[in-house]
Amino acid sequence: MHGRPRRPAKPVDEEAASAKAAKLRDLQVQVLQNHHSRTYTKEAIGLSFKLLEINPEAYTAWNYRKLAFQHNVKELSDPEAIRSVVDDELRVVEVALRQNPKSYGAWYHRKWLLNQKLTPVDSKREFGLLDKLLKVDARNFHGWNYRRFLARFMGVPDEEELKYTMDKIGDNFSNYSAWHNRSILLSNLLIQQSKGFESKQKIFSEEFELVTQALFTDPSDQSGWFYHLWLLAQISTPDKPQLIASWPCNGAKLSSSFIKEKVDQNTLSSIWCHSLKERTVPIVLYFNEPVKGLNQSSVKLKSYLEFGKDIHWRALSMTDSGYSNCWTTYLQIANECSTSQQYSVEVSIPCSEDIVSRSGSNYDSPVHFTFTIELISDSQDIDLFDKPVAWNCSESLQSYGNCEPIPFDLLKITSALIEEESNWHFERLSEQIDLFRELPDDNSKFVKLTLARLLLACAAMKSCGRSLIERKRYCDEALGHLSDLIHLDPSHKQYYEDERSSVLMDKLTCDMETFMKHCSVQVQPNSVPLNHVQLHGLSLTCVGFAERLMWVQVLDLSHNSVRSVEGLEALQQLVSLNISNNQISSFTALEPLTKIMFLKVLDLSFNEIGAHPIDTTRYICSSPFSHKIEACEAFEQCQKKNINVEEYWDAILFFKSLKLKQLDIEGNAIASKENFRTLVMELIPSLKWFNGECVN
Amino acid sequence: MAEDQAHDYPTIEPTSFDVVICGTGLPESVLAAACAAAGKTVLHIDPNPFYGSLYSSVPLPSLPSFLSPDPSSVPLVPSGDDSHTVVDLHRRNIYSEVEIWGAAPEPRRFTVDMVGPRVLYCRDEAVDLLLRSGGSHHVEFKSVDGGSSLLYWEGQLYPVPDSRQAIFKNTTLNRTEKTFLFKLFKLVMAHIAAADEDGEGEASDKISNEDLDLPFIEYLKKHELPPKMIAGVVYAIAMADYDQNTDCCEKLLTTREGIKTIALYSSSTGRFANAPGAFIYPMYGHGELPQAFCRCAAVKGALYVLRMPVSALLMDEERKTCLGARLTSGQDILCQQLILDPSYKVPILDAPSDGSDSNLLRKVARGICIISKSVKQDSSILLIVFPPKSLEEQQTAAIRVLQLSSNLAVCPPGMFMVYLSTPCADTSTGKQSIKKAIDALFAPQASDSLEGHLEETSKNNEDLKPAVIWSCVYVQEIMEGTASSFLSCPTPDELLDYRSILDSSKKVLHCMLHFLLNVPASKVLPQEIFSCR
């Protein structure tokens, strides 16, 4: 059934085939006719059986049978008669399954029948049918689905089903369905704390032992690796969602102006916050896993400042059904204040049932942090964009005094992990790493990938102080494996490159010493100093660990191989971004940037926008432009101005949501189109510098 | 006596056949079926009142007389028409050193194979022959449990992992050993698959010729397998019989040969839906196999007469060509080709090399035990192999063991029959090995019933070892098939399967076909004969 090469279909006797088709068509017409006229006679039902016998995929015929069944069973009162009707129906399904054991319609019909609960279910018959089917094809997921349904329906204890998965794995461990069912059953049993399943540690140790037996027997079989991946996820991710970073961080001092004299080496420097000029303070919360349910009651704010409107939290990186790692709100300061004054803002997230992760766990590690806002009403108005921002990567940037650009240790919120637990987890991971290092199959991509994942899971546990040296060591080894994988398995090259980029960023930003080499405070004449991070020329393909960059105001990602800017949406302080000389292939790939409210300078030059006729990012990115009402309005406006909406729809949506002052886009295929410039001018009225020339 | 029986001998009509076959052993029966299927007239006779000859299965009470028959020579028959040179024949006994011990309950319910321990690969040529000839209608098989054998190693029995699943489930191998072992299997499988594709295939999947010519044991050592696993692969899967670790091994297995057997083994696994393992065993014993072929022959018109010994050969004057046989009934039967059971002694042939150098003959020591408890729990039909030197330093060859249960209708329920065999150069060492193996597998017999009570408690420690109820140890000579003025088929050999016997039968058939059909021997294959049925 599996692992066999597909053979070309045998040339069938054409006459026989067309005769069969004619017969099928005839049957189909008759069944449909009966369906429309609601004819539920024995003969009519018999016809539908004939059809399904040949073609179990005729879904309408199944529906017709359901209606007929309901119609006929209504008139019956004798339990024996009902039983025989149900039996007949079950038999029809069996006949159909013999024709095609993977017929959705047939399986669903059986479930539907059982759910009618007209007669007691003959569990021997049902499980017998399944045994027969799974003997023929042990991986038939329809069968496994039905088995799960049946087990729930009949109240078969999970323990027994777990034993069954073991039997099937014993027969042939190359069985995705059996491993998968095992993971589901184990999760249930562990949540319910069933007898014998009280200790997660014991169970997972045993499961690791079991699956490694399969992995070592045949490292080239994928199914075991999938199960191993699930196990790895179980021990490397915390059970509960946690806040891992915030902007502003605890103790931060935000200021609307910047006065040099105020800075002192020993005191916390105030951070110039561009948005304060517009009396807006963004707060960004970054969680270790996607959560939802942030609102005014689940995140409490305390301050003498008055904030206008309702405080509305929104997800920055939108994933499916509203879960997101990163949440933000914009506080509108409503106070009238004449002199310079400091206000503190307290943010606290108590244990909350509102905030839940995808797995359904509640947030229960309370966090509290405070920052201050300095409002200076009479500050001189600094125009940042007097001159175009020059990205000069060859010259080392002038750093500002002795001052460190950012109080690092305050950036991190290290939530208290339960030490004992994580020790056990770390031991398991190390054990697995040692194991797979010994696995003699040195060129298996699964081994390398799993090793890389294990190493990274270990690295993630080393999060402070001296252990960061170990973290980097783990990262280095993982990087080696990922580089090997790029050569070993070129068809998944992009995935490995993205992983590598993420690890590389982890390595560069996990400790202050290394990170400082990439950080500086940028001082432009006549301007405020800006926190600047330079990550150019590193072959990055994507952005990782964005939670460590949330304070960055100027980011240089030029001369990489960036394909996606997902993650940058967390950088709400970002004013200037340079992603020139990368591999951005469309405006849809830049969608995350539209969420950065105060982005003013964007260098997109020398990318691949417009070079690819098919925009693949729409399939890759988790959040492409969605069709909103505003979009339609924007399109209408453009249409009025004779802009070709069909051609530029993504450009329109992108530029529409940005208030850029400076844009560089030369060196892209799209920039050479004749009316592109007009389009940009039209869409970004605030633009001052376009491709280096003053336009406003 | 002779006179009485002489009356009982039927008269055979006609008196001339294309082929006369004497003895109903497996090779003779296959030949009878092949000749009958080819449209030849066949007379198939046997001195015994039952089918199978040296390949038969006999009831337990008849075993002693089968192993040591009365030395009564074939009664001399008055010569009739003496237009031929008459050469008298004698029967010889190929069994020696018979030692029987103990008493089996209900002995009539036990059936003893004379060829045991023996099984068939599902992908065996014997099985193919049965299927092609239609003999499969007359015999039913059961699978040997789990397929894989148990390996005796350092005083313990270990299952030999023979498939991916078995490696996965094995608890005695460590993880790395599992990887190496499966890698070897995969390599071999890839090699076989590549070799199957018209010899070409992907060169990268093939094992290099250099490696193929290497002794298999060296090749395995190159794959970093530990000694226990090497022993498992070499003696339990590649079925080597002689010690491969010595320099002066009689039969050093090359990688090529090893792989061939592994290929047969693996293609056997799963050939039949109801046989999970690689091996099958015929219900009611191996004696069923010759009978099945005899029935095929009979269906095609071969004439069968049992209880009919041959007393003499009819030769031409120069004693070069065999013209027929004189039966004990006194009747002369003429034929173009005569095939004789190896238990007949032909003076003219044996004369030059008679008796004196019998020590040079290959021999096999066999043992049969009856026990009332399986060697391994949850298994009733199983194979065990004692690799060379596993029992004692002097043990030069592997000892093979097969346990059968009442499922196969060879013994009453609750009983088990165990067959052992080992090839040997001289009778005493062979018997010694068999006895050692019996001692290793089974508890010493509670010979004194009085002691039983006292030892009850101490016995519990060893209670896993079954006790022997009845046993028999003997040595059998091995003879190859020969082709001269008449043809002679091989005796049962020391191997676990019929491959070698069928190979030499095939050779006999080729000789005969050459003669009968006047076609070059190399161009006729037995399957062609059967395909015309």
Side-chain angles (χ1 to χ4, degrees):
Chain A
M1 206 59 66
H2 296 278
R4 288 178 213 169
R6 193 187 290 264
R7 284 203 190 82
K10 276 186 216 146
V12 235
D13 184 10
E14 231 166 80
E15 226 166 88
S18 67
K20 191 183 168 189
K23 191 184 168 198
L24 262 177
R25 255 195 302 276
D26 183 41
L27 275 171
Q28 213 157 316
V29 168
Q30 292 184 58
V31 169
L32 284 178
Q33 207 158 25
N34 290 332
H35 187 32
H36 289 311
S37 60
R38 307 212 164 116
T39 315
Y40 301 132
T41 60
K42 224 173 187 162
E43 294 74 41
I45 295 171
L47 278 176
S48 72
F49 170 66
K50 271 189 191 158
L51 175 60
L52 290 168
E53 196 182 9
I54 309 168
N55 176 21
E57 305 308 309
Y59 214 99
T60 311
W62 288 116
N63 284 339
Y64 165 75
R65 281 195 81 91
K66 288 189 186 77
L67 291 171
F69 177 83
Q70 275 173 333
H71 178 266
N72 291 339
V73 91
K74 242 189 323 197
E75 289 157 13
L76 297 171
S77 53
D78 175 28
E80 267 312 305
I82 294 176
R83 178 198 295 275
S84 92
V85 174
V86 172
D87 265 6
D88 284 347
E89 211 57 29
L90 287 173
R91 216 162 297 128
V92 171
V93 175
E94 280 156 27
V95 169
L97 287 177
R98 204 166 298 146
Q99 174 68 23
N100 178 14
K102 293 187 173 177
S103 164
Y104 283 90
W107 284 110
Y108 181 73
H109 194 70
R110 202 170 182 90
K111 284 189 196 171
W112 177 85
L113 259 176
L114 259 54
N115 271 324
Q116 298 299 302
K117 298 191 176 136
L118 292 170
T119 53
V121 175
D122 179 359
S123 67
K124 219 169 150 190
R125 177 179 183 173
E126 297 305 311
F127 282 110
L129 171 75
L130 273 177
D131 281 342
K132 229 183 267 168
L133 260 149
L134 291 179
K135 204 170 228 168
V136 176
D137 178 5
R139 288 165 26 168
N140 184 346
F141 67 86
H142 295 264
W144 284 92
N145 260 340
Y146 186 68
R147 194 173 177 96
R148 275 192 288 278
F149 161 81
L150 210 57
R152 212 173 324 127
F153 192 81
M154 309 288 298
V156 179
D158 285 348
E159 287 91 337
E160 260 175 50
E161 286 299 292
L162 193 72
K163 238 175 258 157
Y164 182 77
T165 63
M166 195 55 239
D167 289 349
K168 282 286 158 192
I169 290 166
D171 289 347
N172 183 358
F173 63 79
S174 176
N175 190 334
Y176 298 87
S177 301
W179 288 113
H180 168 67
N181 207 28
R182 194 167 177 83
S183 70
I184 289 180
L185 293 166
L186 271 179
S187 305
N188 286 345
L189 287 165
L190 286 168
I191 288 169
Q192 291 155 11
Q193 292 279 292
S194 307
K195 195 169 172 289
F197 295 87
E198 296 90 351
S199 162
K200 230 179 177 173
Q201 306 193 346
K202 182 177 148 266
I203 296 296
F204 283 136
S205 296
E206 287 167 4
E207 292 304 303
F208 268 118
E209 175 59 34
L210 173 69
V211 76
T212 48
Q213 294 298 330
L215 297 179
F216 271 74
T217 302
D218 187 0
S220 63
D221 186 81
Q222 265 189 59
S223 54
W225 291 108
F226 272 89
Y227 190 64
H228 191 271
L229 185 62
W230 176 76
L231 283 176
L232 172 61
Q234 298 312 299
I235 67 158
S236 59
T237 48
D239 299 341
K240 304 272 182 178
Q242 286 169 343
L243 185 73
I244 51 168
S246 73
W247 175 264
C249 53
N250 192 21
K253 199 194 228 171
L254 309 182
S255 175
S256 63
S257 85
F258 188 83
I259 299 145
K260 289 178 184 181
E261 287 74 32
K262 272 194 172 174
V263 178
D264 183 330
Q265 202 175 327
N266 298 320
T267 60
L268 200 60
S269 57
S270 47
I271 303 157
W272 177 80
C273 180
H274 185 266
S275 60
L276 273 178
K277 266 202 331 191
E278 291 166 36
R279 303 180 74 80
T280 303
V281 187
I283 299 181
V284 185
L285 299 177
Y286 207 102
F287 294 86
N288 64 335
E289 61 176 319
V291 292
K292 69 174 179 184
L294 276 82
N295 53 41
Q296 257 174 306
S297 61
S298 57
V299 183
K300 295 195 165 36
L301 294 175
K302 210 167 112 190
S303 173
Y304 288 111
L305 281 172
E306 285 164 26
F307 302 120
K309 295 192 242 166
D310 282 341
I311 294 163
H312 173 66
W313 287 95
R314 59 191 192 99
L316 274 176
S317 42
M318 184 71 80
T319 54
D320 57 312
S321 34
Y323 290 95
S324 171
N325 281 73
C326 185
W327 290 79
T328 187
T329 190
Y330 298 99
L331 300 178
Q332 290 289 334
I333 300 166
N335 294 48
E336 280 301 321
C337 45
S338 45
T339 50
S340 78
Q341 212 173 341
Q342 288 190 6
Y343 301 91
S344 76
V345 180
E346 288 177 35
V347 182
S348 59
I349 312 174
C351 294
S352 165
E353 298 212 338
D354 285 354
I355 303 176
V356 283
S357 71
R358 255 201 216 122
S359 61
S361 321
N362 296 330
Y363 182 83
D364 66 354
S365 28
V367 173
H368 178 91
F369 64 91
T370 313
F371 61 92
T372 48
I373 296 172
E374 190 178 41
L375 286 172
I376 299 163
S377 51
D378 58 342
S379 64
Q380 65 196 100
D381 208 16
I382 305 163
D383 190 356
L384 267 177
F385 309 101
D386 222 6
K387 285 182 180 170
V389 173
W391 300 96
N392 213 341
C393 34
S394 56
E395 264 175 55
S396 70
L397 288 146
Q398 184 193 351
S399 88
Y400 179 76
N402 302 325
C403 171
E404 283 170 353
I406 202 77
F408 247 100
D409 290 335
L410 292 172
L411 279 172
K412 280 184 198 142
I413 297 171
T414 30
S415 332
L417 280 161
I418 308 153
E419 269 305 305
E420 183 200 349
E421 268 259 296
S422 74
N423 262 343
W424 180 83
H425 288 158
F426 186 73
E427 275 167 29
R428 286 290 81 65
L429 291 172
S430 313
E431 208 175 83
Q432 292 287 309
I433 290 172
D434 291 343
L435 254 181
F436 290 124
R437 275 191 185 135
E438 273 176 34
L439 203 147
D441 201 344
D442 31 29
N443 262 339
S444 156
K445 58 178 179 177
F446 301 114
V447 180
K448 280 192 179 293
L449 183 58
T450 303
L451 258 177
R453 282 173 173 158
L454 285 164
L455 289 160
L456 293 176
C458 273
M461 288 187 174
K462 303 284 177 191
S463 54
C464 56
R466 311 200 71 197
S467 66
L468 286 174
I469 299 165
E470 289 175 50
R471 185 184 185 116
K472 283 207 226 164
R473 221 173 28 230
Y474 285 124
C475 285
D476 277 334
E477 197 183 336
L479 282 173
H481 289 303
L482 289 168
S483 302
D484 289 350
L485 281 165
I486 291 171
H487 299 295
L488 203 65
D489 180 20
S491 53
H492 299 104
K493 183 170 168 247
Q494 298 208 345
Y495 171 78
Y496 300 129
E497 283 176 346
D498 285 358
E499 289 292 295
R500 191 179 61 178
S501 299
S502 168
V503 183
L504 205 59
M505 283 200 69
D506 184 16
K507 206 182 122 190
L508 293 178
T509 59
C510 72
D511 73 327
M512 193 148 123
E513 208 184 311
T514 332
F515 198 2
M516 288 311 292
K517 288 177 193 154
H518 298 274
C519 301
S520 62
V521 175
Q522 193 186 44
V523 186
Q524 301 277 337
N526 262 342
S527 176
V528 290
L530 293 169
N531 293 321
H532 181 250
V533 167
Q534 199 182 58
L535 296 169
H536 70 87
L538 295 168
S539 321
L540 298 175
T541 58
C542 65
V543 182
F545 295 89
E547 75 270 20
R548 297 182 186 156
L549 302 172
M550 291 200 294
W551 51 274
V552 175
Q553 289 160 321
V554 180
L555 181 62
D556 183 357
L557 284 170
S558 62
H559 297 277
N560 282 300
S561 312
V562 172
R563 291 185 286 256
S564 153
V565 293
E566 266 189 283
L568 286 183
E569 67 276 7
L571 279 59
Q572 288 295 319
Q573 289 297 300
L574 200 63
V575 177
S576 305
L577 174 66
N578 183 357
I579 36 174
S580 62
N581 294 289
N582 275 294
Q583 292 171 12
I584 303 284
S585 63
S586 69
F587 285 112
T588 46
L590 293 167
E591 192 262 358
L593 300 183
T594 62
K595 292 177 181 157
I596 306 174
M597 289 281 276
F598 299 98
L599 186 67
K600 299 292 176 194
V601 178
L602 180 61
D603 190 345
L604 288 173
S605 48
F606 301 101
N607 273 288
E608 296 163 11
I609 301 171
H612 303 288
I614 293 166
D615 177 10
T616 49
T617 43
R618 258 181 285 172
Y619 310 114
I620 299 164
C621 290
S622 53
S623 57
F625 290 113
S626 41
H627 295 282
K628 300 175 207 156
I629 299 165
E630 308 104 73
C632 299
E633 283 170 10
F635 290 152
E636 267 168 40
Q637 281 174 15
C638 290
Q639 226 137 22
K640 278 179 202 156
K641 289 167 190 162
N642 285 330
I643 296 169
N644 185 347
V645 173
E646 268 164 50
E647 191 178 353
Y648 290 120
W649 68 272
D650 51 350
I652 294 167
L653 289 176
F654 180 66
F655 290 126
K656 192 71 194 150
S657 16
L658 289 171
K659 297 186 187 76
L660 295 177
K661 294 266 186 191
Q662 178 182 338
L663 174 70
D664 293 274
I665 196 161
E666 59 188 330
N668 284 285
I670 198 156
S672 54
K673 288 192 180 163
E674 48 181 316
N675 47 1
F676 185 72
R677 187 189 155 97
T678 339
L679 171 93
V680 173
M681 295 305 139
E682 206 64 61
L683 287 169
I684 325 174
S686 58
L687 201 67
K688 209 168 167 187
W689 303 96
F690 182 65
N691 286 344
E693 72 182 272
C694 183
V695 291
N696 201 342
Chain B
M1 168 192 128
E3 215 161 322
D4 277 351
Q5 280 192 351
H7 287 295
D8 292 341
Y9 291 127
T11 313
I12 293 164
E13 267 297 322
T15 55
S16 171
F17 291 85
D18 291 335
V19 185
V20 170
I21 304 173
C22 181
T24 52
L26 183 70
E28 293 91 353
S29 306
V30 171
L31 294 176
C35 292
K40 301 287 148 193
T41 53
V42 177
L43 173 66
H44 201 173
I45 52 177
D46 195 295
N48 295 311
F50 50 86
Y51 289 92
S53 191
L54 300 173
Y55 292 79
S56 61
S57 302
V58 300
L60 190 60
S62 320
L63 182 71
S65 62
F66 193 94
L67 290 173
S68 340
D70 290 334
S72 64
S73 57
V74 183
L76 282 176
V77 182
S79 52
D81 172 22
D82 268 353
S83 57
H84 312 289
T85 313
V86 179
V87 178
D88 285 339
L89 285 177
H90 298 281
R91 303 289 300 280
R92 82 175 120 203
N93 187 12
I94 61 165
Y95 305 109
S96 60
E97 307 274 332
V98 182
E99 251 180 71
I100 296 178
W101 178 94
E106 303 180 84
R108 292 225 67 91
R109 295 184 65 185
F110 291 89
T111 310
V112 183
D113 286 343
M114 299 315 300
V115 295
R118 200 169 294 266
V119 288
L120 284 85
Y121 286 95
C122 292
R123 197 53 87 183
D124 215 318
E125 198 171 0
V127 174
D128 290 342
L129 268 179
L130 276 169
L131 289 172
R132 267 200 308 272
S133 63
S136 53
H137 299 304
H138 309 298
V139 57
E140 197 183 329
F141 290 93
K142 282 253 162 89
S143 181
V144 176
D145 287 355
S148 74
S149 316
L150 296 173
L151 178 75
Y152 184 84
W153 191 260
E154 285 165 359
Q156 297 272 338
L157 290 174
Y158 296 98
V160 178
D162 60 343
S163 66
R164 192 171 79 152
Q165 230 31 53
I167 296 172
F168 168 60
K169 286 200 248 181
N170 189 294
T171 49
T172 60
L173 296 171
N174 71 33
R175 291 190 188 83
T176 329
E177 289 170 346
K178 287 187 176 194
T179 313
F180 279 127
L181 190 57
F182 185 65
K183 232 168 124 179
L184 173 80
F185 279 18
K186 240 168 93 170
L187 208 64
V188 171
M189 292 310 132
H191 173 82
I192 293 162
D196 277 354
E197 282 165 25
D198 286 336
E200 287 305 312
E202 295 234 358
S204 60
D205 288 337
K206 278 201 186 169
I207 297 166
S208 70
N209 275 327
E210 209 174 298
D211 278 345
L212 286 174
D213 293 332
L214 219 60
F216 194 38
I217 198 136
E218 295 304 320
Y219 181 73
L220 294 178
K221 281 177 186 163
K222 255 173 64 175
H223 279 79
E224 301 173 63
L225 295 180
K228 190 172 100 190
M229 267 156 62
I230 293 185
V233 173
V234 169
Y235 300 109
I237 298 176
M239 298 294 171
D241 275 307
Y242 294 95
D243 191 356
Q244 305 286 307
N245 264 321
T246 53
D247 300 328
C248 52
C249 176
E250 290 180 54
K251 282 188 177 172
L252 200 58
L253 201 67
T254 62
T255 307
R256 198 186 305 276
E257 292 162 336
I259 282 173
K260 204 177 150 203
T261 312
I262 295 181
L264 174 66
Y265 190 104
S266 77
S267 63
S268 289
T269 319
R271 181 182 186 187
F272 303 113
N274 46 3
F279 298 112
I280 47 176
Y281 181 91
M283 290 276 285
Y284 308 104
H286 275 280
E288 294 298 301
L289 294 179
Q291 267 191 77
F293 284 106
C294 287
R295 283 184 195 192
C296 294
V299 167
K300 293 285 176 194
L303 183 64
Y304 275 84
V305 183
L306 294 184
R307 289 191 192 87
M308 181 64 86
V310 174
S311 61
L313 293 182
L314 306 177
M315 312 278 285
D316 65 356
E317 278 168 26
E318 286 118 50
R319 293 196 166 196
K320 267 188 181 162
T321 319
C322 180
L323 302 171
R326 175 164 297 168
L327 307 180
T328 312
S329 61
Q331 197 177 2
D332 284 348
I333 303 287
L334 296 180
C335 63
Q336 295 185 48
Q337 185 65 58
L338 180 71
I339 300 170
L340 275 186
D341 188 297
S343 65
Y344 282 99
K345 205 163 159 180
V346 187
I348 45 159
L349 281 175
D350 292 344
S353 62
D354 196 20
S356 55
D357 54 1
S358 70
N359 277 337
L360 289 176
L361 279 174
R362 281 196 298 145
K363 292 192 181 76
V364 54
R366 298 193 196 272
I368 308 164
C369 297
I370 292 174
I371 51 175
S372 58
K373 200 171 131 239
S374 174
V375 172
K376 191 184 163 213
Q377 261 185 329
D378 315 324
S379 291
S380 55
I381 313 172
L382 55 91
L383 281 163
I384 303 168
V385 61
F386 291 81
K389 291 205 170 68
S390 61
L391 286 165
E392 53 180 355
E393 257 317 290
Q394 300 95 296
Q395 184 200 344
T396 52
I399 302 167
R400 303 205 172 274
V401 183
L402 171 66
Q403 176 186 286
L404 305 174
S405 75
S406 58
N407 283 359
L408 300 166
V410 293
C411 59
M415 291 290 174
F416 296 89
M417 303 218 48
V418 178
Y419 291 93
L420 304 96
S421 78
T422 187
C424 58
D426 69 297
T427 49
S428 63
T429 51
K431 268 178 82 175
Q432 175 73 7
S433 290
I434 295 290
K435 283 179 180 170
K436 283 254 177 197
I438 290 174
D439 288 345
L441 284 176
F442 310 120
Q445 182 60 29
S447 50
D448 227 322
S449 52
L450 290 170
E451 270 181 87
H453 264 292
L454 285 170
E455 281 193 310
E456 196 95 2
T457 41
S458 62
K459 249 186 168 178
N460 278 339
N461 296 331
E462 261 205 330
D463 64 347
L464 289 174
K465 281 191 177 177
V468 180
I469 296 169
W470 174 94
S471 72
C472 168
V473 182
Y474 63 95
V475 176
Q476 181 217 309
E477 284 173 19
I478 298 170
M479 276 171 287
E480 310 277 354
T482 54
S484 58
S485 53
F486 63 94
L487 300 167
S488 162
C489 290
T491 59
D493 57 14
E494 74 277 26
L495 305 173
L496 190 62
D497 56 81
Y498 285 116
R499 279 186 294 162
S500 166
I501 291 168
L502 285 178
D503 272 349
S504 52
S505 308
K506 236 190 312 191
K507 273 181 214 145
V508 171
L509 183 64
H510 281 171
C511 295
M512 186 166 64
L513 289 168
H514 177 54
F515 177 76
L516 285 178
L517 306 173
N518 209 8
V519 285
S522 57
K523 287 206 177 147
V524 184
L525 297 167
Q527 43 263 51
E528 285 166 11
I529 300 290
F530 283 122
S531 62
C532 64
R533 76 188 158 94

